[in-house]
Amino acid sequence: MAKKDLSIKYLGVDCLNPFFLSSSPVGGNYDMVAKCYEEGWGGCFFKTIGIFVADECSPRFDQTNKEGTPWLGFKNMEQISDKPTEKNFEFLYKLCRDYPDHVTVASIMGSSEEEWKELAKMAEQAGVKLIEGNFSCPQMTSHAMGSDVGTNPELVKKYCEAVTSTTDIPFIAKMTPNITLMEKPAEAALEGGAAGVSAINTIKSITNIDFENNTAMPVVDGKSSISGYSGAAVKPVGLRFCANVLQDKKMDELAKKNGFDFGHGHEMSGIGGIETWRDAAEFLALGCRNVQVTTAIMQYGYRIVEDMISGMQFFLDERGYNSLDDFIGCALDNIIPAEELNRDYKLLPAFDDDKCIGCGRCYISCYDGGHQAIDWNEDKRRPELNDNCVGCHLCLNVCPVQGCITPGEIQYKEGRKQTEIKYKKNYI
């Protein structure tokens, strides 16, 4: 396989590859970010810097799992940087000086227009190529900061204007998922002069209840609080919000007005549960032009980027793509409103008796949670489809054997026109 070039432009800035650290504990000082660059990451959204210096609680992390799967989700009660403001910008200056080919992004958070302007000036002086505004941290101790700001389009616009009136460095607004429609504050950000948005930040959560102290986890002196949830469990939510925002045509118009239309609409940085090259490819297929990672690094370390790079190169080669731009956004137009879906047919499941292990999972799930469309042949210990099947594919999704249950016969509903149907054939 010929190695594919993974370089890409993001908001007009050259990036070695689309893999970035997200603003979080994984990129909180010079040594950490320098190491990540040495391992192969294309850039880093440095841990959020404020005038406010965080006073942290201990402990502040918790995680969820299911049936032995570690770290399905991760709870984080940490706030923005607990280091002095000047020290953080010193780190940024040194990173920009020592690693000029990498993209070091200053993530900032103020509690007033004056603070946002001051932080933007300091970021510019440090020599960063991009600035991200954190409008989305769900565990700040002040309502003037974090996700409480991100749910208020007027404040988002005002603070974006404060930054973009101070510096010409492209400004990215980081969006909160703790909202019904992300498009509204995202539009407000671009109306305020932002170049683009990133999403999602963490989701407000309670991960577990501790019955020893009768509170949530983690336990801090017998108490706890609601705070951000990340990890593999949030990827579906992240993909959903990214699709919503990327399909917003008003934002394309605003990006063009702001001078950040590079021929493919407004540009977005995707975040949420990214652990593998495939996770990253899914965000890129929606139209994101880079991806940010935290939780997977906290679990496995910086070297996961090696697998991301090699996996993405193999993917491009296998699919016949020459560059990332050949497939970025390829899935977006095929995600449509529910009322536009083709409902003229049902796709029945097919059972491979040779692969079936006779566990009965499909039969139990269909009877207790579906349409009682599977009969159980006691003599053969095999499932048999009956006429109740609606083609929901619950059976395919619960089967523990890959390729045992697959899409089979297409049946058209009475009176419906027969057309060529596209469907997923390979589930292995």
Side-chain angles (χ1 to χ4, degrees):
M1 181 200 78
K3 287 190 175 181
K4 299 290 184 175
D5 181 9
L6 298 185
S7 63
I8 190 170
K9 279 188 177 290
Y10 170 57
L11 296 175
V13 175
D14 291 321
C15 307
L16 297 171
N17 61 54
F19 306 116
F20 281 55
L21 307 192
S22 50
S23 177
S24 66
V26 302
N29 61 46
Y30 175 89
D31 290 338
M32 296 177 79
V33 180
K35 182 182 178 185
C36 96
Y37 288 164
E38 298 290 346
E39 296 286 2
W41 294 85
C44 171
F45 288 74
F46 196 83
K47 187 169 174 63
T48 302
I49 306 168
I51 305 299
F52 159 86
V53 176
D55 185 17
E56 298 290 7
C57 62
S58 175
R60 49 186 177 267
F61 298 145
D62 187 39
Q63 53 91 16
T64 57
N65 50 58
K66 183 179 185 294
E67 296 171 354
T69 302
W71 283 48
L72 180 65
F74 183 70
K75 181 181 178 182
N76 169 21
M77 289 166 54
E78 189 159 308
Q79 301 178 83
I80 64 174
S81 178
D82 60 356
K83 298 177 180 62
T85 306
E86 293 76 11
K87 186 65 177 177
N88 279 317
F89 283 111
E90 180 185 334
F91 289 148
L92 290 177
Y93 172 78
K94 290 180 178 179
L95 287 165
C96 293
R97 178 196 65 193
D98 297 344
Y99 296 91
D101 293 335
H102 293 74
V103 182
T104 302
V105 186
S107 177
I108 61 175
M109 182 193 292
S111 60
S112 66
E113 288 178 89
E114 291 70 27
E115 287 190 1
W116 281 99
K117 289 180 179 180
E118 183 177 355
L119 291 164
K121 288 177 183 176
M122 296 175 78
E124 185 175 63
Q125 291 167 357
V128 299
K129 298 176 181 179
L130 298 168
I131 302 174
E132 181 185 68
N134 188 338
F135 298 119
S136 48
C137 180
Q139 51 259 14
M140 297 307 298
T141 56
S142 167
H143 292 294
M145 305 171 78
S147 61
D148 287 345
V149 174
T151 58
N152 186 325
E154 291 76 20
L155 270 182
V156 170
K157 181 180 178 182
K158 183 169 74 171
Y159 290 156
C160 285
E161 288 173 337
V163 173
T164 58
S165 67
T166 303
T167 178
D168 292 329
I169 296 174
F171 183 59
I172 305 147
K174 189 173 185 178
M175 298 285 99
T176 176
N178 302 299
I179 192 170
T180 304
L181 296 174
M182 188 180 286
E183 298 94 309
K184 298 304 179 184
E187 290 172 4
L190 268 65
E191 287 170 353
V197 301
S198 57
I200 59 173
N201 206 324
T202 52
I203 302 168
K204 289 185 177 181
S205 69
I206 294 175
T207 45
N208 296 289
I209 297 295
D210 171 47
F211 292 112
E212 183 180 350
N213 293 279
N214 290 328
T215 188
M217 291 285 288
V219 179
V220 182
D221 190 20
K223 307 292 182 182
S224 193
S225 67
I226 292 171
S227 61
Y229 192 54
S230 62
V234 311
K235 188 183 78 169
V237 181
L239 289 169
R240 167 249 162 147
F241 275 116
C242 285
N244 288 158
V245 173
L246 285 162
Q247 288 179 328
D248 186 346
K249 298 304 181 185
K250 182 178 179 181
M251 291 189 64
D252 291 342
E253 298 170 5
L254 290 167
K256 188 173 184 178
K257 179 181 178 182
N258 293 347
F260 292 102
D261 180 1
F262 301 99
H264 39 250
H266 68 282
E267 297 190 356
M268 190 169 188
S269 180
I271 317 167
I274 297 164
E275 293 188 352
T276 68
W277 70 266
R278 184 184 176 90
D279 297 329
E282 291 176 0
F283 279 86
L284 298 179
L286 290 179
C288 296
R289 293 192 67 80
N290 71 18
V291 294
Q292 301 182 36
V293 182
T294 282
T295 307
I297 294 171
M298 296 178 80
Q299 189 173 10
Y300 301 115
Y302 294 131
R303 287 190 64 186
I304 60 171
V305 76
E306 295 177 6
D307 291 335
M308 290 181 171
I309 289 171
S310 63
M312 189 69 73
Q313 289 175 335
F314 272 104
F315 171 75
L316 293 180
D317 187 63
E318 183 182 72
R319 295 283 171 170
Y321 298 127
N322 292 316
S323 69
L324 293 175
D325 279 312
D326 287 347
F327 88 96
I328 286 178
C330 65
L332 191 64
D333 290 343
N334 292 322
I335 298 170
I336 60 176
E339 62 269 20
E340 296 179 17
L341 290 172
N342 184 351
R343 300 174 186 270
D344 292 339
Y345 70 96
K346 55 185 179 180
L347 181 60
L348 305 183
F351 301 88
D352 188 331
D353 285 348
D354 292 334
K355 291 183 179 180
C356 179
I357 60 174
C359 67
R361 288 280 301 275
C362 58
Y363 168 72
I364 293 169
S365 292
C366 184
Y367 197 97
D368 293 0
H371 294 267
Q372 300 79 53
I374 296 176
D375 297 323
W376 187 250
N377 187 317
E378 290 284 357
D379 295 331
K380 296 181 179 179
R381 287 198 59 80
R382 292 292 183 268
E384 295 175 348
L385 202 66
N386 63 41
D387 293 337
N388 292 335
C389 184
V390 298
C392 71
H393 288 205
L394 174 62
C395 57
L396 186 155
N397 282 278
V398 301
C399 181
V401 181
Q402 284 190 338
C404 179
I405 303 178
T406 56
E409 178 189 357
I410 295 174
Q411 285 189 359
Y412 289 88
K413 297 177 182 178
E414 187 175 354
R416 305 294 178 89
K417 182 181 178 181
Q418 296 190 16
T419 57
E420 183 178 351
I421 303 298
K422 294 181 179 180
Y423 62 94
K424 182 173 177 61
K425 299 179 176 66
N426 182 9
Y427 280 82
I428 297 178

